[in-house]
Amino acid sequence: MKTRFFKSRMALVGLVIGGISFSSFAQDDYSFPVSFQKNISTYTVNKDASYQEEREISILIENEEGVSSFGEKKISYIPKLESIKILDAYTILPNGSHLKVPLKNIRTAKGDMDSAAASYSDTQYKVIIYPNVVVGSQLFLKYIHIRHTPLFPGQFTFRKTISPHIKSAHFEINVNFDPGIDIKIDSKEVNGGRLPDKDGMHRYHFTHKQDKSLPFEVSQIATDDYAPYVQATTFASYEALGA
C-alpha cells in the first residue's frame, strides 16, 4: 500500500505540517519531527475587539524529518485586517551558539502559497528561513500579531488546542482585556484561570506541560474533539458564532 500523506495545521504554533507520511509515526518507533521548548501567547484585547497577540515560540528539531519540514516558518495574515511584526528569530545550534536569522531570510510572500487560487487570495505570509538547521537545533521566534480590524465588528474569538502528538515543555496563554468587552473564557485540562485585575484590565493565565507524544492513527478523529484547549469569545453562544 502506498504511504498516505497528510497535511494539517497545528493549532498552537500555526505551523503547517505537509508531506509527512504516516509511516514516520509507527507505534514502535514514534517520534514527531519537533517538540516545543516554549510556546507562549499573550493577548491584549481592546474594547472594540481589536487586539494584539505576542507570540514566543521555541521548537526543538528531533530528527531529520524535522530539519526538512520545519526549517522554514510561515505566518499567514490578511493585510486589510491585520499585520505581523517580527521581533526576533534565531537558530540555537546543539553546541549552544546562536545564529540570528538575517533580514534577507525574512520575506513577505503574496497569495495563498498552498492553493491553486493564489492569485485570488488576500492572504499574505511572513516567511522566516532559519540558518544551519540540524538535528538538535532549537528554532526561536518572537513576533507580534496585530488585529486592527476584527473579522466581525465588535467580536473577538480564539481557540488554541494542544496537540497530543507533540511534546511541550512549556505551553502558556495569557489573556488581558478591557472590562468594557464581554469575553467568556473556557478551558479543558490546563492549569490556571482568572488573575486579579491589573492596570484596569481583566486577566487570565493558563499553562500546560506535555511529556509524551502520542502516535497518529489512520482515520483518527480531529484533536479539537478531545484534546486540551483554551478558548475565548465575545459571542453569546455557539449558535451565534455559527450564524
Side-chain angles (χ1 to χ4, degrees), residues 21-33 62-63 65 213-216:
S21 65
F22 276 119
S23 63
S24 302
F25 306 130
Q27 183 77 36
D28 295 338
D29 59 352
Y30 174 73
S31 176
F32 196 80
E62 298 279 4
N63 54 40
E65 195 152 19
S213 56
L214 300 179
F216 286 86

Side-chain angles (χ1 to χ4, degrees), residues 57-77:
I57 305 165
S58 180
I59 65 172
L60 174 66
I61 302 296
E62 298 279 4
N63 54 40
E64 290 294 341
E65 195 152 19
V67 174
S68 60
S69 299
F70 292 89
E72 178 183 288
K73 165 70 174 167
K74 295 182 288 187
I75 307 169
S76 64
Y77 66 104

Side-chain angles (χ1 to χ4, degrees), residues 106-169:
I106 301 176
R107 307 169 184 173
T108 300
K110 294 184 178 181
D112 190 339
M113 299 172 68
D114 304 308
S115 170
S119 60
Y120 302 102
S121 174
D122 290 332
T123 302
Q124 292 190 7
Y125 289 83
K126 288 292 183 183
V127 182
I128 299 96
I129 303 171
Y130 288 88
N132 294 51
V133 179
V134 297
V135 175
S137 295
Q138 292 186 47
L139 309 183
F140 178 84
L141 175 63
K142 186 175 183 180
Y143 69 93
I144 293 176
H145 166 211
I146 298 174
R147 174 58 71 89
H148 52 77
T149 304
L151 184 61
F152 300 103
Q155 302 288 357
F156 168 81
T157 188
F158 82 81
R159 178 185 174 100
K160 289 189 182 291
T161 302
I162 303 170
S163 171
H165 307 299
I166 308 165
K167 289 188 292 185
S168 179

Side-chain angles (χ1 to χ4, degrees), residues 209-243:
K209 183 177 181 179
Q210 189 163 281
D211 296 324
K212 297 180 180 179
S213 56
L214 300 179
F216 286 86
E217 300 177 7
V218 176
S219 301
Q220 69 178 39
I221 63 174
T223 54
D224 274 350
D225 291 336
Y226 65 90
Y229 65 79
V230 177
Q231 62 183 6
T233 186
T234 54
F235 287 98
S237 63
Y238 281 109
E239 290 79 8
L241 178 60

Side-chain angles (χ1 to χ4, degrees), residues 63-111:
N63 54 40
E64 290 294 341
E65 195 152 19
V67 174
S68 60
S69 299
F70 292 89
E72 178 183 288
K73 165 70 174 167
K74 295 182 288 187
I75 307 169
S76 64
Y77 66 104
I78 300 174
K80 67 181 181 181
L81 301 178
E82 53 200 339
S83 63
I84 301 293
K85 182 180 180 181
I86 307 298
L87 301 180
D88 204 1
Y90 52 82
T91 302
I92 305 176
L93 296 177
N95 64 10
S97 59
H98 288 54
L99 296 177
K100 192 172 181 65
V101 175
L103 288 178
K104 67 178 182 179
N105 285 21
I106 301 176
R107 307 169 184 173
T108 300
K110 294 184 178 181

